[in-house]
Amino acid sequence: MPREEKLQKRSLFVFVLLAVLLTLSVFLYIYSRTYAKAHRLNLEMDRAAFDSIMARTVPALIGMAVAAVLTAVVSLSFQTVTGSRILTPSMFGFDSVYVGTQTILVFMFGSVSRAFVDPYINYVITAGTIIAVSMMMYGFILRKNKNNLVFLLMFGLILSGIVRSGSAYLQVIMDAGDYNRVKAATSVTVNNMNTRIIFMALPLMLAVIVAMLIRHKTYDVMALGENSAKSLGIHYEKEIRLNLFLISLGMSVTTALIGSLTFLGLLAVNIARELFRTHRHIYLFIGSAGLSALALIAGQALSELLQGAVPVTVIIDLVGCSYMFYLILKEGRVK
Amino acid sequence: MIEEKNICQAYIKHRKKKTLENINLSVKKKAITALIGSNGAGKSTLLGVMSNMIPPLSGEVLIDGVNIRTLKPCELAKKIAILKQTHHISIRITVKDLVEFGRFPHSRGRLSDFDRKKVKESIAYMNLTEMEDRYLDELSGGQRQRAFIAMVLAQDTPYIFLDEPLNNLDVKYSVEMMRIIKKLVSELGKTVVVVLHDINFASAYADYIVAMKNGRIIGEGRPEQVITKEVLDEVFDHDFNIVSYQVRNACLYFDRVS
């Protein structure tokens, strides 16, 4: 089996390369936050200062890495389940549902209520809403219009439009203090991570990642399409439901922790596909996870080094958007 | 001898229109059963119900005496393999990759030496050994169809359901496909249920024919019992002309020269 060996050799090479680049970018990120910054501000970098910066940098690094990996893994499984290369779960509008939930929480209970202030209660409510909304979307639409994912996505688009304008309306009529707190809670980005929930978020995220990784063989079969997968003994409806649950769970944690990483998953997954040129999900999972973490951490390090006020997600979204245009045009030409 | 076993009994009821109505059918073992009928007669639906792809609204399907609704999907996949008429695949894989997927119900994706042997045998049986490393999109329609049959063979099930396997195949490949299906029965002892559009292919190759119309079975039996003017005229609403060629009946459906 020469082809199999070639694939293994190539992926080993890519994995090692990714690991080296990732390590480098981690060091670069730490350097950019400590010595580079100290140098710029003409400060001495002593042990105590270094430690205190590291105490903030390490959770940020872990948060970024796990969120990036989760985004990639979730995007790949979502693409397999929907049988499309240009969809990502972000298009369901999870982020607008997140903003909507926060706004309604403040509007109904006030910005000092426990439901809003307690990070855990807040998260449970938010995640519950996101999961309920996406399962409801599934129940309403997928069950009646068998596997009409285009319809589902359109519904997601419209829903997020309604939720967004609804929350904008509520934000306008609430008082200024409440408004500021909602804004602060919903403007989590890579630079401004919601580290208060990190100890709950990390295990959940890791659980979703592991749950998806161990099912890589099932995804291989599901990529064949519904009919073949069913004939090969895949419980198709159950798999779709389970995946939708895992995806909404994962997306809700990432959105609450680090904000929306809309195009990161799309970018990482498609580059991994180009690199490995295989249908085997285990390679694609690991490859896209590595690429995704690399893009986020290296990009963040660079943006710190260049003192850019622009968070890296903006750049990733820009690149990802252009890439998506390219993909749509390419797929359109093939058909 | 062919053992008769009642494996199929399905009944689907819709509020407005029934796609299947009071279907009682037992599929003969180790034989080819062909389902014929006009478009929308419910042939594919029946095949879907029989393989548990579509749940029946009422009634039950028994396989070897067991209701298939009670079987786990992965258990059922060891008994029934089904090939639907549209098996478009969006991913780019080779013939060998595809056939290896056929072992999934047995191996759950971890191929043992026995699985590899089965894959190799199935590929060889379908004369695809030289092109096992070619990608599916590089193959002709007939070759691709054979690759899919090889996957079904690797699945190693006693029952094989094929939904219009002759779709998009020209005469040469259609005949080749029917010969292969015949061989599956005579050499490997498979039980094949096949949906066919071409009545004459059913007449020439099937052991049993089930003729359907509007979700009902109009006639069933050996080809010479079903390929008759009375049955076919009713099933297809058309004026048929039955001719006898060797021992088989063939039907002509063109207008007579006046």
Side-chain angles (χ1 to χ4, degrees):
Chain A
M1 47 190 70
R3 232 167 41 82
E4 189 99 19
E5 275 170 24
K6 232 165 79 187
L7 173 68
Q8 278 171 1
K9 243 186 215 162
R10 180 147 113 189
S11 19
L12 194 69
F13 174 72
V14 177
F15 290 156
V16 170
L17 190 72
L18 274 178
V20 171
L21 287 175
L22 250 177
T23 323
L24 282 179
S25 57
V26 166
F27 280 120
L28 190 68
Y29 182 65
I30 294 175
Y31 170 77
S32 72
R33 302 255 300 206
T34 53
Y35 291 102
K37 207 167 191 172
H39 182 71
R40 203 160 61 229
L41 303 172
N42 277 325
L43 292 173
E44 269 304 306
M45 196 68 217
D46 58 8
R47 186 70 211 209
F50 185 77
D51 283 351
S52 82
I53 293 176
M54 282 305 275
R56 271 176 290 131
T57 305
V58 171
L61 258 177
I62 296 175
M64 275 200 292
V66 178
V69 168
L70 180 77
T71 308
V73 170
V74 162
S75 300
L76 178 58
S77 66
F78 185 76
Q79 289 194 351
T80 298
V81 169
T82 56
S84 160
R85 276 186 64 173
I86 53 175
L87 295 182
T88 74
S90 313
M91 292 168 195
F92 269 121
F94 289 112
D95 47 340
S96 58
V97 177
Y98 173 72
V99 173
T101 324
Q102 299 302 319
T103 311
I104 290 173
L105 276 182
V106 170
F107 192 76
M108 281 176 31
F109 305 111
S111 58
V112 288
S113 65
R114 278 196 63 194
F116 180 68
V117 176
D118 187 316
Y120 294 105
I121 297 178
N122 188 327
Y123 173 70
V124 169
I125 294 174
T126 311
T129 312
I130 290 181
I131 293 169
V133 166
S134 42
M135 295 317 260
M136 215 172 61
M137 263 157 70
Y138 170 76
F140 271 148
I141 295 165
L142 278 197
R143 211 164 294 161
K144 276 191 192 134
N145 307 273
K146 273 214 147 184
N147 298 326
N148 195 343
L149 278 154
V150 178
F151 196 47
L152 185 71
L153 280 170
M154 206 181 74
F155 188 83
L157 200 72
I158 295 170
L159 181 86
S160 72
I162 293 173
V163 171
R164 203 173 298 143
S165 50
S167 17
Y169 175 67
L170 288 182
Q171 284 168 12
V172 167
I173 60 172
M174 64 177 53
D175 77 78
D178 281 356
Y179 172 76
N180 283 335
R181 277 177 212 117
V182 171
K183 265 288 162 235
T186 54
S187 61
V188 281
T189 61
V190 181
N191 289 328
N192 178 27
M193 221 180 278
N194 184 4
T195 39
R196 291 186 307 160
I197 62 164
I198 201 161
F199 291 108
M200 181 190 52
L202 282 182
L204 266 179
M205 291 161 105
L206 287 173
V208 173
I209 293 171
V210 169
M212 288 192 161
L213 277 182
I214 56 171
R215 306 155 56 72
H216 69 271
K217 299 273 187 195
T218 310
Y219 292 119
D220 285 351
V221 179
M222 288 182 78
L224 287 177
E226 181 180 351
N227 286 335
S228 301
K230 272 185 173 172
S231 171
L232 291 171
I234 297 283
H235 202 316
Y236 198 78
E237 282 83 19
K238 201 184 91 191
E239 288 297 330
I240 297 259
R241 241 174 301 151
L242 178 72
N243 268 296
L244 222 66
F245 174 75
L246 285 177
I247 289 167
S248 3
L249 182 66
M251 290 305 291
S252 69
V253 201
T254 343
T255 312
L257 181 70
I258 201 168
S260 169
L261 301 169
T262 313
F263 287 104
L264 182 65
L266 180 84
L267 209 58
V269 168
N270 278 299
I271 293 175
R273 280 192 210 278
E274 294 294 321
L275 276 179
F276 294 104
R277 293 191 173 280
T278 177
H279 63 281
R280 290 189 207 284
H281 278 72
I282 188 72
Y283 295 107
L284 294 176
F285 269 137
I286 300 176
S288 54
L291 281 165
S292 169
L294 179 68
L296 196 59
I297 295 175
Q300 191 63 14
L302 285 180
S303 99
E304 293 250 356
L305 270 186
L306 300 171
Q307 310 169 43
V310 191
V312 65
T313 41
V314 174
I315 301 167
I316 289 177
D317 279 0
L318 193 69
V319 177
C321 238
S322 332
Y323 188 61
M324 180 142 172
F325 266 125
Y326 165 74
L327 274 182
I328 291 174
L329 290 177
K330 203 176 84 174
E331 293 227 335
R333 202 169 53 228
V334 171
K335 279 168 197 167
Chain B
M1 279 302 286
I2 298 159
E3 182 193 357
E4 268 188 50
K5 207 153 203 178
N6 181 41
I7 74 152
C8 264
Q9 186 179 44
Y11 177 66
I12 285 200
K13 204 160 79 184
H14 272 287
R15 254 162 285 164
K16 288 177 198 147
K17 185 175 166 273
K18 291 168 184 168
T19 36
L20 292 180
E21 233 182 311
N22 279 329
I23 300 275
N24 278 293
L25 175 70
S26 49
V27 173
K28 314 290 181 295
K29 273 199 162 178
K30 295 181 185 174
I32 301 177
T33 304
L35 303 180
I36 60 171
S38 51
N39 294 333
K43 301 169 302 219
S44 296
T45 315
L46 178 59
L47 211 61
V49 170
M50 279 162 68
S51 56
N52 206 17
M53 300 268 254
I54 308 168
L57 289 184
S58 62
E60 54 185 7
V61 181
L62 301 175
I63 176 165
D64 300 333
V66 187
N67 188 343
I68 59 167
R69 306 284 305 162
T70 62
L71 284 173
K72 282 203 187 114
C74 56
E75 288 306 310
L76 191 65
K78 290 177 190 169
K79 290 187 182 253
I80 297 175
I82 178 165
L83 204 55
K84 297 286 279 185
Q85 48 188 330
T86 48
H87 40 252
H88 169 74
I89 283 192
S90 54
I91 50 172
R92 201 172 135 83
I93 54 173
T94 64
V95 173
K96 199 172 164 200
D97 291 331
L98 181 74
V99 180
E100 281 177 357
F101 275 121
R103 295 305 297 170
F104 185 79
H106 304 271
S107 66
R108 308 310 294 171
R110 234 175 292 276
L111 294 182
S112 66
D113 286 342
F114 178 74
D115 293 322
R116 288 184 201 286
K117 201 180 120 229
K118 274 276 171 204
V119 168
K120 219 176 161 132
E121 280 172 14
S122 309
I123 292 177
Y125 197 83
M126 300 306 291
N127 290 327
L128 289 166
T129 310
E130 316 91 83
M131 47 190 103
E132 64 173 21
D133 282 326
R134 297 257 298 273
Y135 284 95
L136 285 181
D137 51 11
E138 297 166 351
L139 302 180
S140 72
Q143 290 166 336
R144 203 174 312 147
Q145 189 71 281
R146 259 158 52 205
F148 275 95
I149 304 268
M151 171 173 90
V152 165
L153 264 187
Q155 204 173 333
D156 202 18
T157 54
Y159 298 93
I160 295 178
F161 295 170
L162 304 168
D163 196 349
E164 296 194 23
L166 307 185
N167 237 6
N168 298 325
L169 295 187
D170 59 27
V171 173
K172 181 179 166 222
Y173 285 121
S174 297
V175 170
E176 184 190 86
M177 187 55 60
M178 290 314 293
R179 282 189 190 139
I180 289 167
I181 294 171
K182 199 98 189 158
K183 252 170 63 179
L184 296 184
V185 173
S186 61
E187 292 182 7
L188 304 178
K190 306 280 188 193
T191 302
V192 179
V193 179
V194 56
V195 173
L196 288 177
H197 244 305
D198 192 318
I199 310 159
N200 288 334
F201 270 106
S203 170
Y205 291 95
D207 299 304
Y208 293 91
I209 295 180
V210 176
M212 293 179 69
K213 183 189 184 184
N214 296 336
R216 293 166 196 268
I217 293 177
I218 303 292
E220 67 179 297
R222 301 196 57 81
E224 60 272 19
Q225 296 168 317
V226 179
I227 307 297
T228 59
K229 189 164 168 56
E230 299 78 59
V231 177
L232 289 186
D233 279 2
E234 193 192 341
V235 170
F236 289 96
D237 284 329
H238 185 84
D239 187 18
F240 277 94
N241 201 1
I242 308 292
V243 296
S244 192
Y245 175 68
Q246 297 183 334
V247 286
R248 302 281 190 180
N249 285 341
C251 65
L252 301 175
Y253 29 75
F254 319 107
D255 292 333
R256 285 157 204 261
V257 180
S258 51

